[in-house]
Protein backbone atom coordinates (compact mmCIF):
# COMPACT_ATOMS: atom_id res chain seq x y z
CA UNK A 1 0.00 0.00 0.00
CA UNK A 2 1.20 3.51 -0.77
CA UNK A 3 -0.04 6.86 0.48
CA UNK A 4 -2.29 7.30 -2.54
CA UNK A 5 -4.12 4.05 -1.79
CA UNK A 6 -4.22 5.03 1.88
CA UNK A 7 -5.96 8.28 0.91
CA UNK A 8 -8.43 6.46 -1.35
CA UNK A 9 -9.43 4.14 1.49
CA UNK A 10 -9.80 7.05 3.92
CA UNK A 11 -12.00 8.89 1.43
CA UNK A 12 -14.22 5.83 1.10
CA UNK A 13 -14.32 4.36 4.60
CA UNK A 14 -13.51 7.32 6.83
CA UNK A 15 -10.91 8.25 9.38
CA UNK A 16 -10.99 5.12 11.53
CA UNK A 17 -8.78 2.34 10.19
CA UNK A 18 -10.73 -0.19 12.24
CA UNK A 19 -13.69 0.42 9.89
CA UNK A 20 -11.66 -0.16 6.73
CA UNK A 21 -11.72 -3.50 4.88
CA UNK A 22 -10.06 -6.11 7.07
CA UNK A 23 -7.59 -7.06 4.33
CA UNK A 24 -6.25 -3.48 4.18
CA UNK A 25 -5.94 -2.70 7.87
CA UNK A 26 -2.51 -4.25 8.44
CA UNK A 27 -0.95 -2.39 5.50
CA UNK A 28 -2.67 0.82 6.63
CA UNK A 29 -1.06 0.63 10.06
CA UNK A 30 2.28 0.03 8.38
CA UNK A 31 1.82 3.23 6.33
CA UNK A 32 0.93 5.09 9.51
CA UNK A 33 4.15 3.88 11.08
CA UNK A 34 6.28 4.88 8.07
CA UNK A 35 4.60 8.19 7.24
CA UNK A 36 2.86 9.28 10.43
CA UNK A 37 2.52 12.96 9.48
CA UNK A 38 1.01 12.57 6.01
CA UNK A 39 -1.09 9.52 6.86
CA UNK A 40 -2.21 11.12 10.11
CA UNK A 41 -3.29 14.25 8.25
CA UNK A 42 -5.31 12.16 5.78
CA UNK A 43 -7.08 10.39 8.63
CA UNK A 44 -7.75 13.67 10.45
CA UNK A 45 -9.46 15.09 7.35
CA UNK A 46 -11.59 11.97 6.99
CA UNK A 47 -12.50 12.10 10.69
CA UNK A 48 -13.80 15.65 10.24
CA UNK A 49 -16.39 14.34 7.80
CA UNK A 50 -17.15 11.38 10.09
CA UNK A 51 -17.89 13.84 12.89
CA UNK A 52 -20.17 15.88 10.63
CA UNK A 53 -22.06 12.74 9.61
CA UNK A 54 -22.43 11.77 13.26
CA UNK A 55 -24.00 15.14 13.97
CA UNK A 56 -27.03 14.19 11.88
CA UNK A 57 -30.15 13.46 13.88
CA UNK A 58 -30.33 9.90 15.18
CA UNK A 59 -34.03 9.16 15.17
CA UNK A 60 -35.28 7.31 18.24
CA UNK A 61 -38.27 4.98 17.90
CA UNK A 62 -41.41 6.55 19.31
CA UNK A 63 -43.46 4.76 21.92
CA UNK A 64 -46.40 4.67 19.49
CA UNK A 65 -44.33 2.97 16.77
CA UNK A 66 -42.99 0.41 19.21
CA UNK A 67 -46.51 -0.34 20.43
CA UNK A 68 -47.87 -0.75 16.89
CA UNK A 69 -45.08 -3.18 16.06
CA UNK A 70 -45.51 -5.17 19.27
CA UNK A 71 -49.29 -5.29 18.81
CA UNK A 72 -48.86 -6.96 15.42
CA UNK A 73 -46.44 -9.59 16.70
CA UNK A 74 -47.48 -13.22 17.02
CA UNK A 75 -48.54 -14.16 20.56
CA UNK A 76 -49.02 -17.61 22.13
CA UNK A 77 -52.81 -17.06 22.19
CA UNK A 78 -52.77 -16.12 18.52
CA UNK A 79 -50.59 -19.10 17.68
CA UNK A 80 -53.03 -21.38 19.54
CA UNK A 81 -56.14 -19.80 18.02
CA UNK A 82 -54.59 -20.04 14.58
CA UNK A 83 -54.05 -23.76 15.23
CA UNK A 84 -57.63 -24.08 16.56
CA UNK A 85 -59.00 -22.28 13.49
CA UNK A 86 -57.02 -24.66 11.34
CA UNK A 87 -58.44 -27.64 13.23
CA UNK A 88 -61.99 -26.23 13.02
CA UNK A 89 -61.57 -25.42 9.36
CA UNK A 90 -60.19 -28.87 8.67
CA UNK A 91 -63.11 -30.46 10.56
CA UNK A 92 -65.73 -28.42 8.72
CA UNK A 93 -63.94 -29.14 5.48
CA UNK A 94 -63.93 -32.86 6.11
CA UNK A 95 -67.63 -32.81 7.10
CA UNK A 96 -68.69 -30.79 4.09
CA UNK A 97 -66.64 -32.91 1.78
CA UNK A 98 -68.07 -36.10 3.23
CA UNK A 99 -71.63 -34.77 2.91
CA UNK A 100 -70.97 -33.57 -0.60
CA UNK A 101 -69.41 -36.85 -1.58
CA UNK A 102 -72.29 -38.85 -0.03
CA UNK A 103 -74.85 -36.72 -1.85
CA UNK A 104 -72.97 -37.06 -5.07
CA UNK A 105 -72.68 -40.83 -4.69
CA UNK A 106 -76.38 -41.09 -3.88
CA UNK A 107 -77.21 -39.03 -6.92
CA UNK A 108 -74.93 -41.13 -9.03
CA UNK A 109 -76.62 -44.30 -7.78
CA UNK A 110 -80.05 -42.91 -8.67
CA UNK A 111 -79.10 -41.82 -12.15
CA UNK A 112 -77.00 -43.24 -14.84
CA UNK A 113 -73.36 -42.37 -14.34
CA UNK A 114 -72.00 -40.05 -16.91
CA UNK A 115 -68.56 -38.73 -17.56
CA UNK A 116 -69.71 -35.29 -16.48
CA UNK A 117 -70.89 -36.55 -13.08
CA UNK A 118 -67.62 -38.38 -12.53
CA UNK A 119 -65.81 -35.17 -13.14
CA UNK A 120 -68.11 -33.36 -10.72
CA UNK A 121 -67.53 -35.98 -8.03
CA UNK A 122 -63.78 -35.76 -8.44
CA UNK A 123 -63.95 -31.99 -8.31
CA UNK A 124 -65.97 -32.12 -5.10
CA UNK A 125 -63.50 -34.45 -3.42
CA UNK A 126 -60.38 -32.64 -4.63
CA UNK A 127 -61.87 -29.22 -4.00
CA UNK A 128 -62.65 -30.09 -0.38
CA UNK A 129 -58.96 -30.35 0.39
CA UNK A 130 -59.30 -33.99 1.49
CA UNK A 131 -56.46 -34.88 -0.78
CA UNK A 132 -54.47 -31.77 0.03
CA UNK A 133 -51.24 -32.72 1.76
CA UNK A 134 -49.93 -29.20 2.18
CA UNK A 135 -51.39 -28.68 5.62
CA UNK A 136 -54.39 -26.81 4.30
CA UNK A 137 -54.17 -24.02 6.83
CA UNK A 138 -53.63 -21.18 4.40
CA UNK B 1 -23.97 -8.32 10.26
CA UNK B 2 -21.47 -10.96 9.23
CA UNK B 3 -22.31 -13.12 6.28
CA UNK B 4 -20.78 -16.35 7.52
CA UNK B 5 -21.11 -18.54 10.60
CA UNK B 6 -24.14 -18.99 12.79
CA UNK B 7 -26.95 -16.48 12.84
CA UNK B 8 -27.03 -14.62 16.18
CA UNK B 9 -30.77 -13.98 15.71
CA UNK B 10 -31.70 -17.60 14.94
CA UNK B 11 -32.77 -18.60 18.44
CA UNK B 12 -34.91 -15.48 18.82
CA UNK B 13 -36.62 -16.10 15.50
CA UNK B 14 -37.47 -19.68 16.45
CA UNK B 15 -38.98 -18.48 19.74
CA UNK B 16 -40.95 -15.76 17.94
CA UNK B 17 -42.29 -18.41 15.59
CA UNK B 18 -43.66 -20.20 18.66
CA UNK B 19 -45.27 -16.97 19.88
CA UNK B 20 -42.82 -16.20 22.71
CA UNK B 21 -43.54 -12.60 23.84
CA UNK B 22 -40.12 -12.17 25.49
CA UNK B 23 -38.43 -13.02 22.19
CA UNK B 24 -40.62 -10.51 20.38
CA UNK B 25 -39.60 -7.82 22.86
CA UNK B 26 -35.94 -8.75 22.51
CA UNK B 27 -35.98 -8.63 18.71
CA UNK B 28 -37.76 -5.27 18.71
CA UNK B 29 -35.21 -3.87 21.18
CA UNK B 30 -32.37 -5.21 19.04
CA UNK B 31 -33.57 -4.26 15.57
CA UNK B 32 -36.08 -1.41 15.78
CA UNK B 33 -33.54 1.43 16.21
CA UNK B 34 -31.38 0.04 13.38
CA UNK B 35 -34.24 -0.40 10.95
CA UNK B 36 -35.72 3.00 11.76
CA UNK B 37 -32.36 4.67 11.29
CA UNK B 38 -31.78 2.89 7.99
CA UNK B 39 -35.17 3.99 6.65
CA UNK B 40 -34.73 7.52 7.97
CA UNK B 41 -31.31 7.93 6.33
CA UNK B 42 -32.62 6.58 3.04
CA UNK B 43 -35.89 8.53 2.97
CA UNK B 44 -35.15 11.63 5.07
CA UNK B 45 -38.72 11.66 6.35
CA UNK B 46 -39.79 10.55 9.82
CA UNK B 47 -43.34 9.45 8.97
CA UNK B 48 -42.24 7.47 5.93
CA UNK B 49 -39.37 5.92 7.87
CA UNK B 50 -41.81 4.81 10.59
CA UNK B 51 -44.18 3.33 7.99
CA UNK B 52 -41.35 1.38 6.37
CA UNK B 53 -40.07 0.17 9.73
CA UNK B 54 -43.51 -1.03 10.77
CA UNK B 55 -43.89 -2.91 7.49
CA UNK B 56 -40.45 -4.51 7.93
CA UNK B 57 -41.55 -5.91 11.30
CA UNK B 58 -44.93 -7.05 9.96
CA UNK B 59 -43.04 -9.08 7.38
CA UNK B 60 -40.67 -10.35 10.05
CA UNK B 61 -43.60 -11.60 12.16
CA UNK B 62 -45.03 -13.41 9.13
CA UNK B 63 -41.65 -14.85 8.21
CA UNK B 64 -40.62 -16.02 11.69
CA UNK B 65 -42.66 -19.28 11.89
CA UNK B 66 -41.26 -20.53 8.59
CA UNK B 67 -37.77 -18.97 8.72
CA UNK B 68 -35.20 -21.38 7.36
CA UNK B 69 -31.68 -20.84 8.71
CA UNK B 70 -28.79 -21.02 6.30
CA UNK B 71 -29.92 -19.11 3.26
CA UNK B 72 -29.24 -15.68 4.76
CA UNK B 73 -28.87 -14.15 8.16
CA UNK B 74 -32.04 -12.67 9.55
CA UNK B 75 -30.43 -9.23 9.93
CA UNK B 76 -29.38 -9.32 6.27
CA UNK B 77 -32.92 -10.25 5.28
CA UNK B 78 -34.32 -7.38 7.38
CA UNK B 79 -31.95 -4.92 5.73
CA UNK B 80 -32.93 -6.21 2.30
CA UNK B 81 -36.66 -5.87 3.04
CA UNK B 82 -36.16 -2.35 4.43
CA UNK B 83 -34.08 -1.24 1.46
CA UNK B 84 -36.61 -2.63 -1.02
CA UNK B 85 -39.42 -0.77 0.74
CA UNK B 86 -37.34 2.42 0.75
CA UNK B 87 -36.62 2.10 -2.97
CA UNK B 88 -40.33 1.54 -3.66
CA UNK B 89 -41.07 4.84 -1.95
CA UNK B 90 -38.22 6.69 -3.65
CA UNK B 91 -39.49 5.41 -7.01
CA UNK B 92 -43.03 6.56 -6.21
CA UNK B 93 -41.69 9.98 -5.22
CA UNK B 94 -39.95 10.33 -8.56
CA UNK B 95 -43.09 9.29 -10.43
CA UNK B 96 -45.18 11.84 -8.53
CA UNK B 97 -42.54 14.51 -9.06
CA UNK B 98 -42.56 13.84 -12.81
CA UNK B 99 -46.35 13.83 -12.98
CA UNK B 100 -46.75 16.90 -10.79
CA UNK B 101 -43.64 19.08 -11.02
CA UNK B 102 -43.39 21.53 -8.14
CA UNK B 103 -44.54 25.05 -8.96
CA UNK B 104 -41.52 26.65 -7.37
CA UNK B 105 -38.08 25.13 -7.33
CA UNK B 106 -35.45 26.42 -4.94
CA UNK B 107 -32.70 27.62 -7.25
CA UNK B 108 -30.91 29.76 -4.69
CA UNK B 109 -27.21 29.22 -4.25
CA UNK B 110 -26.19 26.53 -1.82
CA UNK B 111 -24.56 29.09 0.44
CA UNK B 112 -27.91 30.89 0.89
CA UNK B 113 -29.68 27.68 1.74
CA UNK B 114 -26.86 26.92 4.17
CA UNK B 115 -27.45 30.17 6.01
CA UNK B 116 -31.06 29.16 6.57
CA UNK B 117 -30.12 25.74 7.98
CA UNK B 118 -27.59 26.61 10.65
CA UNK B 119 -27.93 23.39 12.54
CA UNK B 120 -25.22 20.95 11.51
CA UNK B 121 -27.52 17.98 11.82
CA UNK B 122 -30.05 19.48 9.43
CA UNK B 123 -27.28 20.42 7.03
CA UNK B 124 -25.94 16.88 7.04
CA UNK B 125 -29.41 15.40 6.56
CA UNK B 126 -30.00 17.73 3.62
CA UNK B 127 -26.62 16.84 2.11
CA UNK B 128 -27.41 13.15 2.47
CA UNK B 129 -30.80 13.66 0.83
CA UNK B 130 -29.10 15.35 -2.14
CA UNK B 131 -26.86 12.35 -2.83
CA UNK B 132 -27.79 9.92 -5.60
CA UNK B 133 -29.70 6.99 -4.09
CA UNK B 134 -26.93 4.42 -4.46
CA UNK B 135 -24.29 6.68 -2.92
CA UNK B 136 -26.64 7.48 -0.04
CA UNK B 137 -27.29 3.75 0.41
CA UNK B 138 -23.55 3.00 0.50
CA UNK B 139 -22.81 5.73 3.05
CA UNK B 140 -25.81 4.69 5.15
CA UNK B 141 -24.85 1.02 5.23
CA UNK B 142 -21.15 1.56 5.93
CA UNK B 143 -21.13 4.65 8.14
CA UNK B 144 -24.44 4.57 9.98
CA UNK B 145 -25.29 0.85 9.97
CA UNK B 146 -21.60 -0.01 10.46
CA UNK B 147 -21.64 -2.91 8.04
CA UNK B 148 -18.36 -4.17 6.62
CA UNK B 149 -17.54 -3.55 2.98
CA UNK B 150 -18.30 -7.19 2.18
CA UNK B 151 -21.70 -7.11 3.90
CA UNK B 152 -22.71 -3.80 2.32
CA UNK B 153 -21.56 -4.85 -1.15
CA UNK B 154 -23.54 -8.10 -0.86
CA UNK B 155 -26.68 -6.27 0.20
CA UNK B 156 -26.35 -3.79 -2.65
CA UNK B 157 -25.54 -6.49 -5.17
CA UNK B 158 -22.26 -4.87 -6.24
CA UNK B 159 -18.57 -5.76 -6.01
CA UNK B 160 -16.48 -4.44 -3.13
CA UNK B 161 -14.63 -2.24 -5.63
CA UNK B 162 -17.90 -0.74 -6.86
CA UNK B 163 -18.96 -0.15 -3.26
CA UNK B 164 -15.66 1.61 -2.56
CA UNK B 165 -16.24 3.85 -5.55
CA UNK B 166 -19.81 4.68 -4.47
CA UNK B 167 -18.59 5.49 -0.96
CA UNK B 168 -15.73 7.67 -2.14
CA UNK B 169 -17.96 9.65 -4.50
CA UNK B 170 -20.65 10.01 -1.87
CA UNK B 171 -18.28 11.18 0.83
CA UNK B 172 -16.50 13.59 -1.57
CA UNK B 173 -19.87 15.14 -2.45
CA UNK B 174 -20.79 15.41 1.24
CA UNK B 175 -17.47 17.05 2.08
CA UNK B 176 -17.91 19.56 -0.75
CA UNK B 177 -21.44 20.41 0.41
CA UNK B 178 -20.48 20.69 4.06
CA UNK B 179 -17.12 22.43 3.56
CA UNK B 180 -18.33 25.68 5.14
CA UNK B 181 -18.92 23.87 8.44
CA UNK B 182 -15.14 23.72 8.78
CA UNK B 183 -14.48 27.37 7.91
Amino acid sequence: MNLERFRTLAEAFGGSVTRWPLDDQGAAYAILAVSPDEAGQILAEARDLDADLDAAERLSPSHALRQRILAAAPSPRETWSRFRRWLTGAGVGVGLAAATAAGMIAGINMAATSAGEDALLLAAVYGSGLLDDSGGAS
Amino acid sequence: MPTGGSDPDQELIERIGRGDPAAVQALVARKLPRMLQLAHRMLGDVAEAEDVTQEVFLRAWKQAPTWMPGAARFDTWLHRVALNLCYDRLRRRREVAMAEPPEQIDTGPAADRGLLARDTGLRVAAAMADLPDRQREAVTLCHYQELTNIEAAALMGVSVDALESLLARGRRALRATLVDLRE
Side-chain angles (χ1 to χ4, degrees):
Chain A
M1 182 182 291
N2 54 24
L3 264 177
E4 191 182 343
R5 176 64 182 153
F6 187 93
R7 182 183 296 280
T8 301
L9 287 166
E11 284 178 350
F13 296 99
S16 173
V17 174
T18 56
R19 294 177 65 171
W20 290 14
L22 273 175
D23 291 348
D24 293 309
Q25 289 183 15
Y29 287 119
I31 291 281
L32 267 170
V34 173
S35 310
D37 292 343
E38 293 118 309
Q41 178 62 31
I42 290 168
L43 288 185
E45 287 170 11
R47 273 199 295 269
D48 283 346
L49 181 59
D50 292 342
D52 289 342
L53 292 176
D54 289 337
E57 181 191 12
R58 190 172 281 263
L59 194 59
S60 293
S62 67
H63 179 72
L65 174 64
R66 192 182 298 271
Q67 291 307 111
R68 286 200 301 274
I69 288 171
L70 290 174
S75 64
R77 181 184 293 180
E78 187 183 306
T79 306
W80 165 243
S81 69
R82 202 180 294 157
F83 180 63
R84 208 171 47 189
R85 274 200 304 275
W86 179 82
L87 280 180
T88 310
V92 169
V94 168
L96 281 175
T100 306
M104 293 296 297
I105 289 166
I108 289 163
N109 284 340
M110 284 189 287
T113 302
S114 71
E117 287 166 338
D118 284 343
L120 204 58
L121 177 61
L122 281 172
V125 174
Y126 277 95
S128 73
L130 279 176
L131 302 181
D132 182 4
D133 62 359
S134 66
S138 59
Chain B
M1 195 193 65
T3 51
S6 63
D7 187 341
D9 298 321
Q10 181 59 37
E11 189 224 342
L12 271 186
I13 303 309
E14 286 171 6
R15 286 167 53 200
I16 289 168
R18 297 194 296 269
D20 179 345
V24 166
Q25 294 269 1
L27 190 83
V28 169
R30 192 183 290 180
K31 304 295 181 189
L32 174 55
R34 269 171 77 69
M35 289 301 112
L36 183 63
Q37 178 165 248
L38 172 62
H40 189 219
R41 301 286 178 224
M42 287 301 294
L43 298 169
D45 180 278
V46 175
E48 282 201 287
E50 288 194 340
D51 286 348
V52 163
T53 305
Q54 189 173 346
E55 180 62 27
V56 167
F57 276 91
L58 280 178
R59 295 190 187 191
W61 302 149
K62 282 184 190 162
Q63 190 70 29
T66 55
W67 177 256
M68 298 290 285
R73 290 197 167 194
F74 197 74
D75 193 71
T76 306
W77 180 83
L78 280 182
H79 273 78
R80 187 68 268 157
V81 170
L83 287 170
N84 284 346
L85 290 168
C86 288
Y87 272 105
D88 284 347
R89 283 173 182 261
L90 291 170
R91 202 174 304 120
R92 250 178 280 154
R93 274 188 203 171
R94 275 193 291 271
E95 286 166 6
V96 170
M98 286 173 70
E100 302 167 15
E103 289 178 11
Q104 190 176 355
I105 299 171
D106 180 5
T107 54
D112 290 347
R113 292 200 301 273
L115 289 174
L116 294 173
R118 290 175 189 279
D119 179 74
T120 305
L122 290 177
R123 289 285 312 280
V124 173
M128 282 287 288
D130 282 345
L131 287 181
D133 293 345
R134 294 291 270 175
Q135 291 178 23
R136 185 167 61 255
E137 184 180 2
V139 173
T140 298
L141 292 177
C142 289
H143 185 81
Y144 291 111
Q145 301 298 102
E146 299 188 10
L147 303 187
T148 68
N149 63 326
I150 294 171
E151 293 160 359
L155 258 176
M156 294 181 69
V158 298
S159 67
V160 289
D161 288 343
L163 173 78
E164 189 178 305
S165 170
L166 285 167
L167 278 172
R169 282 184 283 148
R171 286 178 60 104
R172 265 199 296 271
L174 288 167
R175 189 181 303 113
T177 306
L178 301 171
V179 67
D180 58 301
L181 293 176
R182 295 283 156 200
E183 288 171 350

